[in-house]
Amino acid sequence: MASKRLFTFALVLCCAVASAQVFNRAPLAPNRFTGLPIGAIKADGWLQEQLLRQASGLTGQLDQVYPQVMGPDNAWLGGEGDAWERGPYWLDGLLPLAYMLKDEALIAKAQAWVEAILASLQPDGYMGPAVDHPFVYGLQRGQTHDWWPKMVALKIMRQYYDATADARVLHFLKSYFRYQFENLDNAPLDHWTDWGRWRGADNLDVVYWLYNTTGEAWLLELGEKIHSQTVDWTALFMDGGIFREQGSVHCVNLAQGFKAPLVWWQYSHSSCDFEAASAAAAVLSNTVGIPNGLWAGDEMLHFGSPVRGSELCTAVEMMFSLETMLRINGETCWADWLERVAYNALPAQIKDDFTAKQYYQQTNQIACTRDWRPFSTPHDGTDVLFGTLNGYPCCLSNMHQGWPKFVQNLWYASADGGLAALVYAPSTVTARVAGGATVTIRETTDYPFDSAVTFTVESPGKASFPLYVRVPGWCSEFMLLLNGKPLQAVAHDGIIGLNRVWKKGDVLRLIMPMDVRVEEGFDKAWSILRGPLVYALRMEENWNWVPFSGADKRFGSGAWEVTSATPWNYCIMRDSFSADSCTVSVKPVEGYPWNLSGAPVSITIPVRELPYWKEYNGSCGEIPYWTEDGNDTGPSATVELIPYGCTTLRIASFPTRIVPWDLNLY
């Protein structure tokens, strides 16, 4: 009965705050868009199915799958077990998922942690585990006072307030931030470990959120302290040297640091802070970047070879950074980038039923086997298997935030009382707009597989407000229809604004043609794209469960290996390939799309065999991905590509070749 009362109370509160929107207060830079409370946006279609799979999989069951850390002895719950980042990592995804699904059992699980965190608040403002315990393998029981894991707890409490408006959160955060204000001078962010120094923007972002909520000016002074002790990401990005030096930075630190310049820009108003992330993106794409929107980092940063790994934590943390950046300055390039990561990297690295994950994924991944691959931080060859504790346990704990926060950032409120659809997926939004009316808009689409997005106003009778929709950077032209009739509109900085009286039943349809295009990457390799999706060679998959025994049980009970007999060693001929030589086949999304059988789109392209390109230690052997003058190709062929996110094994960076000039003479 107690849990049922708690669930009902939470739902009432969630509904009560569904129209609450927090914009920047001066002197913070005004923001054009801001987030909506948890519960205002509901996933539909395949995206709702994704959340349900997550709830029945590891996100909903991690306390049973990983009880040694997520069980009742966790120090965040008052026990003597794990006391660091892993418990909060899980809650950072479990809590928003629970409230989005209105799942009573998951809300109760999350609430137990929230109550324990709230109860940990000390009279001096300290919160969280406070007692270091001796080392036990598999647990992190020391450095309890470290600032870094508490930053994850801050994100949790902010989301909890967004979902419930529980006033205890404001007191909790103010007390803890007072503690920080008084102690950071003597114990700076890197006093216990250096993670807080790299990831201070997570802390600063919640400080600014609380300032916007309460208006207490001392929080801005705290923000200055936190920024002064955080790595100067603006300087690193404007210089660009970290992207030209192997092993220069930890891959997840980079993902979390990407938002740091813009978070600080809200207060600094510096043009360098505003431009830093764009400067970094320009260099990254030509050095360490990989086609799925991330970078080669296994775990340290490396040039973007297709056989280098990319850590799962990088994907979900970069998504959160991009979501934060989009909210701050509304630049649609961040939405484009967010979709690139969410619709390519994320689904490819987690098993369909959400019961296993990869620690690293490879752009060209021809086998998921236990082999020693060219990673800077290998974990006994377990990194590309699909399991639980294989690789390192951080990703098992942290992967849960990806999809729920993505849903939470499909729609935004605008400062002029409107709504903005800046990221596309099937969904429904209910929120308050100009004049105080509460409106519901349903977004129906097979995006990212199809080019059309339809918005239907479901309530109320009439309401006057602006509706904003995004035109992606890859879209060269678009068509807009209102109630079936063409509508003339201009996109300004990638956004179309329609300010009108909307009535129940109005239908706005945006059509964005998806042309096949080529993107050049590492060593002039080519990737094939259409819309926001990267396409990869379709390879049949053989899944085989491999149990672990003896010392290997530290990686879990076992893991899935994936192998294939499908040929993969193909190249694209640069002098003859064009979009016209490709055949695109599209079918409606039916059920779950992110696998071989569900893939709604395929592209057939002409290639040639590369007989000298062979497997080495479970990966594609090293070859020149581009050859200026040589004749190492075999017979012509055609191959089928499907969306990268639908694959487990794949080639997504194709070597390119040119017919040697002297052969053209005959």
Side-chain angles (χ1 to χ4, degrees), residues 58 312 345-362 365 367-370 373 381-391 396 399 541-548 555-563 592 594 644-650:
L58 285 171
L312 178 53
L346 186 60
Q349 206 159 357
I350 303 174
K351 197 167 181 285
D352 290 353
D353 58 6
F354 228 86
T355 61
K357 61 92 184 80
Q358 273 187 311
Y359 191 65
Y360 300 138
Q361 65 174 291
Q362 297 171 289
Q365 186 167 273
C368 299
T369 51
R370 190 168 183 179
R373 291 172 171 81
T382 67
D383 296 297
V384 302
L385 302 176
F386 278 80
T388 52
L389 297 175
N390 56 300
L396 173 65
M399 67 183 192
E541 301 169 2
N542 301 309
W543 289 72
N544 181 45
W545 176 257
V546 178
F548 292 149
F555 297 117
S557 61
W560 293 94
E561 288 191 338
V562 190
T563 57
Y592 187 74
W594 299 112
Y644 183 110
C646 300
T647 68
T648 301
L649 306 179
R650 59 186 163 264

Side-chain angles (χ1 to χ4, degrees), residues 433-473:
V433 295
T438 298
V439 302
T440 297
I441 301 176
R442 181 178 297 275
E443 178 181 343
T444 307
T445 183
D446 279 351
Y447 193 92
F449 309 102
D450 188 52
S451 62
V453 183
T454 301
F455 304 95
T456 304
V457 179
E458 297 194 340
S459 68
K462 286 185 179 181
S464 178
F465 65 94
L467 176 62
Y468 297 94
V469 295
R470 162 179 146 261
V471 177

Side-chain angles (χ1 to χ4, degrees), residues 471-537:
V471 177
W474 49 259
C475 178
S476 58
E477 59 183 25
F478 63 88
M479 180 183 298
L480 201 61
L481 304 174
L482 180 61
N483 298 326
K485 298 180 180 179
L487 186 65
Q488 297 300 315
V490 177
H492 297 283
D493 298 324
I495 295 177
I496 303 168
L498 301 172
N499 195 349
R500 66 186 303 273
V501 176
W502 299 91
K503 64 181 185 299
K504 184 177 182 179
D506 276 347
V507 177
L508 181 71
R509 186 170 175 83
L510 175 65
I511 302 172
M512 303 164 287
M514 293 179 171
D515 298 324
V516 174
R517 65 190 192 278
V518 169
E519 193 171 274
E520 192 166 88
F522 178 82
D523 196 20
K524 295 186 178 293
W526 276 5
S527 293
I528 307 300
L529 291 89
R530 177 180 174 272
L533 298 182
V534 180
Y535 283 75
L537 178 69

Side-chain angles (χ1 to χ4, degrees), residues 85 88-89 92 147-157:
E85 65 183 7
Y89 265 161
D92 196 26
W147 300 109
W148 154 239
K150 292 172 173 53
M151 296 180 193
V152 187
L154 297 176
K155 293 162 63 183
I156 294 166
M157 302 311 289

